[in-house]
Structures are given as structure tokens and as C-alpha cells.
Amino acid sequence: MKNNLILIGFMGTGKTSLGKLLAEKLGRAFVDLDQKIEQDTGLSVPKIFELHGEKYFRELEKKAVAEISQRKNLVVATGGGTVQDEENLRLLKNSGMLVCLTTTPEEIFNRTERRGERPMLDSDNDRLKTIKELLAKRQKYYAQADYTIDTTDWSPLQIISDILKHFRG
Ligand code: S3P
């Protein structure tokens, strides 16, 4: 039985930092999908987008998902777009519990302000509008999580303790 704890949700919802803390609490290994892709390729995510485009990044992401979903006892932080691929969503669902982190578009806007880190938000278009459009497009995928938590007004420790209460691992 695969018992991974998998964090999904939009950019800026805290998947990586909360995932690390959860892994510590559970005494488990932590895998951040983007970091895995960066280690496997020797390139940063923005560089992969710049050199090879989003489509190629999504292929690398699929490979990484296929690999980690074979493993167990992990805490996994996915990228914001990982679950918009049905196959990724299916594999991840089969490999453990999906927890979706959410917050408001405005909060995402503030948390993702630094340019150069998130290629999906780096165009010259209205960034808040882009965030809202992407969120709307991805909503149906995020909605398939086993548990969803709004992180807006909670401290990391509160969020973690709430997730652990619901985790059946
Ligand atoms: C993406 C989110 C990023 C990263 C890539 C694409 C997206 O991860 O995978 O830039 O499509 O939402 P984070 O959610 O960790 O920022």
C-alpha cells in the first residue's frame, strides 16, 4: 500500500516549505518535484522553460511523477501545474493522500512577486489576471484532493498539525 503524503496546489501556497516541515515531523524523506527535475537535468526550472519551453518541462515533470509514485513513505511537494495532467493526477492519487493547499489570488500575487522564479507568471501581462485565469483552469484538478486546507490565515505549525490530523498514513 502506497502511503505517500502529496501536497498539491497553486504556486505560492507553501507546498515546498510545508512539505519539508511535514517530512521532518513524520521522519520521512521529502521530495520536491521541481528540485528533483533540477537535480536530474542540472538546470533550474526557469532555465528549462527558457531553453526548451513549457512542453518539455511537462515531459520531465511526467517522468518525475512516474518515478516518485512508485516509492512509498515519502512527503512530496508537486509543482503548481503537475496535477493538470490527468495521468499525473491518477498516479499521484494511487500513491497516497493528496492534500491541496489554497489561498487567495491576491495572496498568491504577493507571495510570487519575485520575477525570474516562476516562468508561468513572468509574461508582461497583468499578473493578477494571469493568476486568476490559471487558478480557474486548474480548479477542477485541485478539487480532486482528498483534503483541502486554506493556508491564508494560519501559521505553518497550525497548517501542519491540521494536515497531520487528517493524514491516515
Ligand atoms: C508551475 C509551478 C512551479 C513549477 C513551474 C510550473 C505551474 O512550481 O513547477 O514553474 O505551472 O504552476 P511551484 O508551484 O512550486 O511554484
Side-chain angles (χ1 to χ4, degrees):
M1 164 78 185
K2 307 256 179 62
N3 59 355
N4 295 327
L5 172 54
I6 301 145
L7 300 180
I8 68 170
F10 206 75
M11 292 168 264
T13 52
K15 300 179 298 287
T16 300
S17 49
L18 293 168
K20 267 186 209 153
L21 291 172
L22 281 163
E24 257 170 46
K25 278 264 183 210
L26 290 165
R28 289 179 168 211
F30 172 64
V31 179
D32 179 273
L33 269 194
D34 286 335
Q35 282 168 13
K36 177 173 167 38
I37 292 167
E38 292 184 334
Q39 280 159 8
D40 291 351
T41 58
L43 294 170
S44 70
V45 169
K47 202 74 195 162
I48 296 170
F49 270 77
E50 184 194 321
L51 293 178
H52 305 290
E54 181 183 354
K55 191 159 173 274
Y56 183 67
F57 172 76
R58 299 298 173 199
E59 284 167 22
L60 297 173
E61 194 174 41
K62 269 179 98 73
K63 265 191 215 145
V65 168
E67 232 180 280
I68 62 103
S69 56
Q70 292 303 312
R71 297 170 57 189
K72 53 185 178 182
N73 296 320
L74 296 178
V75 174
V76 179
T78 59
T82 308
V83 295
Q84 72 190 351
D85 178 282
E86 299 276 1
E87 172 78 356
N88 286 347
L89 186 56
R90 190 183 64 77
L91 287 174
L92 290 170
K93 253 187 169 305
N94 286 339
S95 93
M97 179 176 171
L98 287 189
V99 174
C100 183
L101 306 178
T102 68
T103 187
T104 61
E106 290 73 19
E107 187 65 26
I108 290 167
F109 180 85
N110 293 331
R111 293 187 195 171
T112 56
E113 222 162 21
R114 249 188 309 178
R115 279 185 81 89
E117 287 182 1
R118 292 190 165 88
M120 296 298 291
L121 303 178
D122 264 355
S123 77
D124 288 328
N125 302 334
D126 178 340
R127 217 159 52 80
L128 187 58
K129 189 164 163 255
T130 308
I131 289 170
K132 287 180 178 167
E133 283 168 0
L134 266 181
L135 267 173
K137 225 193 284 173
R138 293 174 174 180
Q139 196 43 49
K140 63 176 175 190
Y141 304 106
Y142 296 147
Q144 293 185 52
D146 300 293
Y147 182 63
T148 297
I149 173 166
D150 184 341
T151 64
T152 313
D153 298 319
W154 283 19
S155 73
L157 284 183
Q158 286 173 314
I159 299 165
I160 280 170
S161 105
D162 185 68
I163 291 174
L164 289 176
K165 252 186 256 160
H166 289 84
F167 181 50
R168 56 175 188 266

